[in-house]
Amino acid sequence: AAGVIQSPRHLIKEKRETATLKCYPIPRHDTVYWYQQGPGQDPQFLISFYEKMQSDKGSIPDRFSAQQFSDYHSELNMSSLELGDSALYFCASSPPRDRGMELHFGNGTRLTVT
Amino acid sequence: GQSLEQPSEVTAVEGAIVQINCTYQTSGFYGLSWYQQHDGGAPTFLSYNALDGLEETGRFSSFLSRSDSYGYLLLQELQMKDSASYFCAVREDYGQNFVFGPGTRLSVLP
């Protein structure tokens, strides 16, 4: 079965640089989420899209932005990177209605800011 | 505000049964779901409850009491591979995000 695909798996950037993370949700899933997870921490919600429209916003810095495209893939853009942005970034998608409580995660992008 | 509480660590031996509790305080409630995460891996969906009662999925079961804002994950016939972190997550409404608990680290001993 198809899973959520994220790229790249690993990314190393320097302070003040820009990064773009990509996510391809499971086909026919109607909601896409972005989470940030630091070492030993729970996933922190950043932003979500329902049917390509931004649906909810969490603790996402103003330096970050995201969008979902017509083919349903999503991108998280991160600018003016700081050391504290180093974390695992997960994209997840959920199916519609009856199975809407199932969150399916990609393998994540490990971002290291030096 | 939103808050979820879980025990930080649980230890059990192979073959045993363990229960991981989750209490929540949220302004709305659509459902409670559970995820397993091995070190360095992605969270994996295990089970969810939208209504009160017990949901059974193989060795894993999940329970919900909406009146008590409480749920638990029950793991039976523990195996070494069950050593991982377990997160509960609440969705306040359909279309809204999932709020995760702090996670419970389960260690299964031989």
Side-chain angles (χ1 to χ4, degrees):
Chain A
V4 176
I5 298 172
Q6 289 187 248
S7 66
R9 288 298 307 275
H10 302 273
L11 192 57
I12 300 174
K13 292 285 185 177
E14 295 187 355
K15 282 194 307 182
R16 293 179 290 277
E17 284 192 320
T18 298
T20 298
L21 279 54
K22 294 187 177 182
C23 169
Y24 294 82
I26 294 173
R28 291 178 295 281
H29 280 199
D30 64 2
T31 310
V32 170
Y33 313 76
W34 286 96
Y35 285 88
Q36 178 192 59
Q37 188 176 30
Q41 305 293 314
D42 57 291
Q44 293 293 312
F45 171 69
L46 294 177
I47 195 167
S48 64
F49 295 88
Y50 172 68
E51 287 293 345
K52 295 173 281 187
M53 299 289 291
Q54 183 182 311
S55 57
D56 206 353
K57 206 169 181 179
S59 50
I60 183 170
D62 292 340
R63 301 178 288 109
F64 293 7
S65 65
Q67 55 184 325
Q68 187 175 23
F69 295 87
S70 57
D71 65 351
Y72 286 87
H73 93 273
S74 179
E75 293 184 3
L76 178 66
N77 298 292
M78 311 160 70
S79 63
S80 303
L81 286 169
E82 301 174 355
L83 296 179
D85 297 329
S86 295
L88 257 176
Y89 290 84
F90 287 106
C91 174
S93 66
S94 61
R97 288 297 162 187
D98 291 352
R99 293 172 55 212
M101 284 301 299
E102 298 177 21
L103 201 55
H104 296 262
F105 285 81
N107 286 327
T109 294
R110 183 174 294 281
L111 174 65
T112 303
V113 181
T114 62
Chain B
Q2 310 156 325
S3 70
L4 285 79
E5 291 187 7
Q6 299 179 237
S8 57
E9 293 183 10
V10 172
T11 302
V13 297
E14 268 188 301
I17 299 173
V18 73
Q19 179 175 311
I20 298 174
N21 299 321
C22 173
T23 57
Y24 59 89
Q25 282 189 318
T26 56
S27 54
F29 183 83
Y30 184 80
L32 176 73
S33 53
W34 290 90
Y35 298 84
Q36 177 193 63
Q37 186 177 29
H38 289 99
D39 287 344
T44 303
F45 170 77
L46 293 176
S47 182
Y48 83 87
N49 299 75
L51 302 174
D52 292 350
L54 191 68
E55 291 288 336
E56 297 181 75
T57 311
R59 294 188 297 116
F60 296 168
S61 303
S62 58
F63 172 82
L64 174 67
S65 169
R66 287 175 296 172
S67 60
D68 296 319
S69 298
Y70 162 76
Y72 66 72
L73 179 70
L74 193 72
L75 297 86
Q76 302 181 72
E77 301 172 19
L78 281 174
Q79 302 174 10
M80 299 293 289
K81 67 178 181 180
D82 297 329
S83 292
S85 292
Y86 293 83
F87 295 92
C88 60
V90 166
R91 198 177 197 191
E92 291 187 314
D93 198 0
Y94 185 80
Q96 294 197 340
N97 84 92
F98 290 73
V99 179
F100 281 77
T104 298
R105 188 165 190 88
L106 171 65
S107 298
V108 180
L109 305 178

